[in-house]
Amino acid sequence: MMIGRTLGLYFARRFLSAMMIVFLTIFALIYTLDLVELMRRAGDSVGAGAGTMAKLALFRTPATAEQVIPFGMLFGAMASFIALSRRLELVVARAAGYSAWQFLTPAIILALVIGGLVVTVYNPVATKFKDRANTLEAHLFRRGGATLGSVIWLRQRSIDGEAIIRATALDSANDTLRGVQFFVMDERGQFVERVEAPVARLRAGYWRLEQARVVSEDHEPESYSVYLVATNLTPEEMRSALGPGQAVSFWSLPGIIERLELAGLDTTRYRLIYQSLWARPALLVAMVLVAACFSLKFLRSGGLATMVLGGVVAGFGLYIATEVAEDLGNAGVVSTTLAAWAAPLFASAMSVLVLLNKEDG
């Protein structure tokens, strides 16, 4: 017997409202904490007023909140199932002949729909806000956008052959590398020349090196005010290769992966992110099933605290397993597909096994 439309919509509405309350609470908490931290940093920057910091925190929060959506699904599912049990609505549904699988169906369908919307709508929007936040933050705190730190290495392939690029800083706002060395090789992989420059600006189809010094085996070192090196990289691909992968939109990933491969760059990280986004609906479904394992118990028998604690521990265990699998995939130990899908599918299978044992004997 299929669950009725009215009852199914009622369960779905209760589940959705609980999940949204949890997610918006977490979103507000992340925003508040980030705003407090940014206000602390604002004292060292000119022009970083309260309004600017509030806008920057708002731009940064969606990308961070995206990472906690699975927990919003877990806690929302547990809250809705416990509320339905407390009000004896699940008892009435069972008495009417509905099994746990039937009143779990609306929650599972809703988890799939939310997962699809997160991947196709929320992720691109959060990415755009994150890009705007990076630009604003670079202007406020990084003195022109130059991000200093460890040495940057980049490899490219162009019509002239390959080149290995070493730089000491990235100016993402202006698509510029600082303190650069280009080790240029021909199409056969033989060393041609080394080009050193304080600044290399990425333009359409070439790098523009200023105050460059060219060293080769056959000629004396020469200096140029401007020196051009061909490239197939675009500014977006350079930022993707050097910046955080999570700042890349779901819709942009296939094209970026293809072009980075043509440029001779490693795409493992981006393949993993792409597969992880595809697996996001499966992860949300796994969270619903995990919540159901610990939340469908009749509350009059007691043990509410144990139920909640067990669900939270299981949910965090699934999250940790997902992170470990992704680390293994990023390191090349397992394939990116296996790394992204293994933990959600295994957790779903184990949860179904537990529910079959509890509900169907």
Side-chain angles (χ1 to χ4, degrees):
M1 180 175 62
M2 296 295 293
I3 191 169
R5 180 175 180 271
T6 302
L7 185 59
L9 290 176
Y10 174 74
F11 283 155
R13 186 169 63 252
R14 293 293 301 272
F15 174 77
L16 179 61
S17 61
M19 186 268 176
M20 290 302 299
I21 290 173
V22 173
F23 174 73
L24 291 176
T25 301
I26 297 175
F27 189 97
L29 180 61
I30 293 173
Y31 175 80
T32 302
L33 293 176
D34 196 28
L35 179 59
V36 170
E37 173 62 19
L38 289 173
M39 291 300 294
R40 185 189 65 81
R41 295 172 57 191
D44 301 328
S45 178
V46 178
T52 302
M53 293 298 98
K55 181 171 68 173
L56 178 57
L58 183 61
F59 288 164
R60 285 157 51 112
T61 301
T64 304
E66 183 181 359
Q67 306 306 310
V68 300
I69 287 177
F71 292 107
M73 186 66 63
L74 172 70
F75 298 145
M78 291 185 64
S80 62
F81 292 146
I82 290 173
L84 291 171
S85 296
R86 187 183 295 276
R87 297 174 56 168
L88 302 180
E89 290 169 316
L90 293 185
V91 175
V92 173
R94 282 192 171 98
Y98 294 109
S99 69
W101 304 108
Q102 290 169 304
F103 50 74
L104 272 177
T105 300
I108 292 175
I109 293 175
L110 197 57
L112 289 172
V113 172
I114 291 174
L117 291 175
V118 166
V119 172
T120 58
V121 179
Y122 184 93
N123 173 264
V125 172
T127 300
K128 289 185 179 296
F129 277 115
K130 181 65 174 176
D131 288 339
R132 295 179 65 180
N134 289 340
T135 302
L136 181 58
E137 188 175 4
H139 175 72
L140 292 173
F141 299 120
R142 299 183 185 177
R143 297 182 181 180
T147 304
L148 302 176
S150 59
V151 173
I152 296 169
W153 290 94
L154 185 64
R155 187 176 69 175
Q156 69 169 33
R157 185 179 293 127
S158 67
I159 57 174
D160 295 333
E162 293 189 359
I164 298 175
I165 306 170
R166 180 186 186 275
T168 58
L170 165 67
D171 186 345
S172 57
N174 299 313
D175 302 319
T176 300
L177 296 177
R178 303 188 186 278
V180 297
Q181 291 182 326
F182 280 66
F183 300 90
V184 183
M185 294 166 283
D186 60 21
E187 296 179 351
R188 297 175 298 173
Q190 301 296 318
F191 175 78
V192 176
E193 61 187 13
R194 184 179 81 245
V195 186
E196 302 173 351
V199 176
R201 306 183 189 278
L202 182 59
R203 298 294 183 258
Y206 64 92
W207 289 96
R208 186 177 189 273
L209 283 71
E210 301 175 359
Q211 304 302 319
R213 183 172 181 266
V214 181
V215 180
S216 64
E217 295 180 348
D218 302 330
H219 301 86
E220 294 291 328
E222 298 181 76
S223 298
Y224 299 86
S225 58
V226 176
Y227 193 82
L228 306 182
V229 177
T231 184
N232 290 332
L233 290 175
T234 65
E236 183 182 27
E237 292 163 2
M238 181 192 69
R239 290 192 295 269
S240 299
L242 299 178
Q246 288 76 8
V248 182
S249 167
F250 169 78
W251 298 110
S252 302
L253 278 167
I256 289 175
I257 290 172
E258 181 181 357
R259 290 191 293 270
L260 289 179
E261 285 180 339
L262 292 175
L265 301 175
D266 182 28
T267 61
T268 301
R269 177 175 53 167
Y270 296 96
R271 289 184 178 276
L272 179 60
I273 294 170
Y274 190 54
Q275 287 295 329
S276 297
L277 288 172
W278 272 112
R280 187 62 55 83
L283 177 61
L284 299 188
V285 170
M287 287 294 186
V288 170
L289 293 173
V290 168
C293 290
F294 294 90
S295 306
L296 295 181
K297 182 180 178 182
F298 183 47
L299 291 182
R300 293 291 180 89
S301 59
L304 176 60
T306 303
M307 291 166 50
V308 173
L309 180 60
V312 171
V313 170
F316 273 96
L318 173 56
Y319 180 79
I320 292 172
T322 303
E323 291 295 311
V324 171
E326 290 182 356
D327 288 341
L328 293 176
N330 201 33
V333 178
V334 298
S335 68
T336 55
T337 302
L338 179 62
W341 289 89
L345 294 182
F346 179 77
S348 296
M350 294 301 297
S351 298
V352 168
L353 182 62
V354 171
L355 288 171
L356 282 172
N357 182 64
K358 291 176 61 176
E359 298 293 330
D360 301 328

